[in-house]
Amino acid sequence: MIEGGSEMYRVDDTMRRIAVNGGAQDALVFTTPTGIFIGLGNESKTLLSPIDKRSIDMEKVAQVNQLSRSFAAHELGLHELHEALHHLDQNTPFFPFWLQVLAAGVCSTMLMVVFAQAYDWFDMPLAAVVGALGFIAYAKISPLTRVRFISELGGAFVVGVTAWAGVKLGVGRNLDNVIIGAVMPLVPGVAITNSIRDMLAGHLLSGIARGMEALLSAAAIGVGIALIFRFF
């Protein structure tokens, strides 16, 4: 669930429910964005599991919730739940890459209209193409580095370069509108929202950590765009 971008209080609640329904009434759970800890009452055993990667995958979060409910309803046994969770982790259904790129293009166009507060029909096709190219760059760079912010900086830089080139070639008119719309698929909106929700739920450590992660992501995007205005 953490790898899929879930809120920490939801992870806590799901782990406790599974433990209670599995017979561990006094389970102790502690979660952070980089690891989860669970202990079983007076027993000296504690399980630690690190979280090496995090992204946004609401399908995985929803499926884990469904499996937890099925276990609580005694539709699954503990061993069956473990096998189902392992299978889900290895075979999470996901949209094909071409559809993600298409969605990024549509999202860029629609959000350009929202933020520009005008139907800029001439710039819409360019915003769609630029947003799609920026998302492709982000997706291709991500597996090549362990530093998450490098991929966001690279994606934003591609957005800036292609938007600037499109306007110079005459296929777009308003550079600001195109960039505002095209950069939105890279913005960590879910991370910002979950950070606030975690802090409101009392998970201050997780909320602050995710908030800093979101701010660094936004800063990387800003640097990628700023480079274009600085040198072009």
Side-chain angles (χ1 to χ4, degrees):
M1 294 178 73
I2 297 175
E3 290 178 351
S6 175
E7 308 93 324
M8 301 308 298
Y9 71 84
R10 190 186 301 275
V11 176
D12 270 10
D13 181 66
T14 301
M15 290 179 65
R16 286 195 175 91
R17 288 179 182 273
I18 290 176
V20 169
N21 291 319
Q25 300 294 328
D26 50 356
L28 303 174
V29 177
F30 180 72
T31 60
T32 72
T34 56
I36 56 177
F37 305 79
I38 184 168
L40 301 180
N42 296 324
E43 296 186 21
S44 58
K45 297 179 180 179
T46 301
L47 177 64
L48 163 65
S49 180
I51 308 298
D52 298 323
K53 58 181 180 179
R54 295 182 303 280
S55 60
I56 303 300
D57 188 349
M58 293 294 105
E59 179 68 22
K60 179 178 287 188
V61 175
Q63 290 290 337
V64 172
N65 277 333
Q66 183 57 48
L67 290 172
S68 173
R69 294 188 185 98
S70 298
F71 180 61
H74 304 291
E75 297 173 1
L76 293 174
L78 186 58
H79 179 71
E80 294 172 319
L81 174 64
H82 180 268
E83 292 296 323
L85 289 172
H86 179 72
H87 181 269
L88 174 63
D89 186 46
Q90 301 298 321
N91 302 279
T92 305
F94 212 66
F95 293 109
F97 185 66
W98 67 267
L99 187 57
Q100 297 177 50
V101 173
L102 178 61
V106 173
C107 175
S108 300
T109 303
M110 296 299 102
L111 289 177
M112 186 195 74
V113 173
V114 171
F115 288 107
Q117 297 183 357
Y119 287 98
D120 189 354
W121 300 103
F122 188 81
D123 287 329
M124 281 184 179
L126 179 60
V129 172
V130 170
L133 291 175
F135 180 80
I136 291 173
Y138 166 78
K140 295 300 182 182
I141 295 173
S142 292
L144 303 179
T145 175
R146 295 178 62 88
V147 182
R148 173 183 172 184
F149 313 110
I150 297 299
S151 57
E152 291 162 344
L153 187 150
F157 183 79
V158 170
V159 166
V161 168
T162 52
W164 175 83
V167 171
K168 286 296 182 180
L169 292 173
V171 295
R173 288 181 299 197
N174 193 314
L175 180 61
D176 292 342
N177 286 354
V178 173
I179 289 180
I180 288 172
V183 81
M184 291 310 295
L186 305 178
V187 174
V190 175
I192 295 172
T193 302
N194 286 351
S195 168
I196 296 173
R197 294 184 67 176
D198 279 338
M199 286 190 284
L200 292 177
H203 289 258
L204 300 180
L205 178 62
S206 300
I208 293 172
R210 281 192 164 174
M212 284 301 301
E213 186 177 50
L215 287 175
L216 289 173
S217 296
I221 294 170
V223 169
I225 298 298
L227 289 173
I228 303 304
F229 288 100
R230 173 64 179 84
F231 295 106
F232 295 95

